[in-house]
Amino acid sequence: KNSLNYYKKTLKLEPKHLKAKLSLGLLYVMLGNEEKGIRIIKACQKDNVVYNWQIEPYLNSAYTFITNKMLNEEYEGHSI
């Protein structure tokens, strides 16, 4: 939660701070609010076409996190 508040405060002071937006999006994904997180990251992609090379790793990390979470949940649902 502290990180969430940190990024929100940063964005209040600097609404266009790209890395704060990207980190906030990834944090939302990690906290379980995947849709909101992906939406934030994709909005950064749309608004910052020139910096897409900086945005792609965050989007990839978000999707990797979601995929791993799904695989872990599926694995934990099966007993050996």
Side-chain angles (χ1 to χ4, degrees), residues 27 56 58 62:
L27 184 58
E56 285 298 322
Y58 286 86

Side-chain angles (χ1 to χ4, degrees), residues 2-3 9 13 20 28 32 40-41 47 55 62 71 76-78 80:
N2 288 336
S3 297
K9 285 180 185 178
L13 296 171
Y28 273 121
I40 290 170
I41 296 170
D47 297 339
I55 297 167
L71 290 172
E76 289 173 1
H78 299 293
I80 297 174

Side-chain angles (χ1 to χ4, degrees), residues 18-29:
L18 181 60
K19 288 195 177 184
K21 280 185 184 180
L22 292 169
S23 296
L24 180 64
L26 189 54
L27 184 58
Y28 273 121
V29 169

Side-chain angles (χ1 to χ4, degrees), residues 22-74:
L22 292 169
S23 296
L24 180 64
L26 189 54
L27 184 58
Y28 273 121
V29 169
M30 295 171 84
L31 292 173
N33 197 340
E34 291 93 352
E35 285 184 34
K36 185 172 186 173
I38 295 293
R39 193 171 43 248
I40 290 170
I41 296 170
K42 285 190 172 188
C44 289
Q45 212 172 22
K46 181 181 170 190
D47 297 339
N48 299 283
V49 177
V50 175
Y51 298 105
N52 268 343
W53 61 274
Q54 288 182 321
I55 297 167
E56 285 298 322
Y58 286 86
L59 194 56
N60 291 339
S61 293
Y63 284 131
T64 299
F65 185 87
I66 292 167
T67 301
N68 286 337
K69 181 180 169 187
M70 289 170 52
L71 290 172
N72 285 334
E73 288 171 357
E74 184 176 317

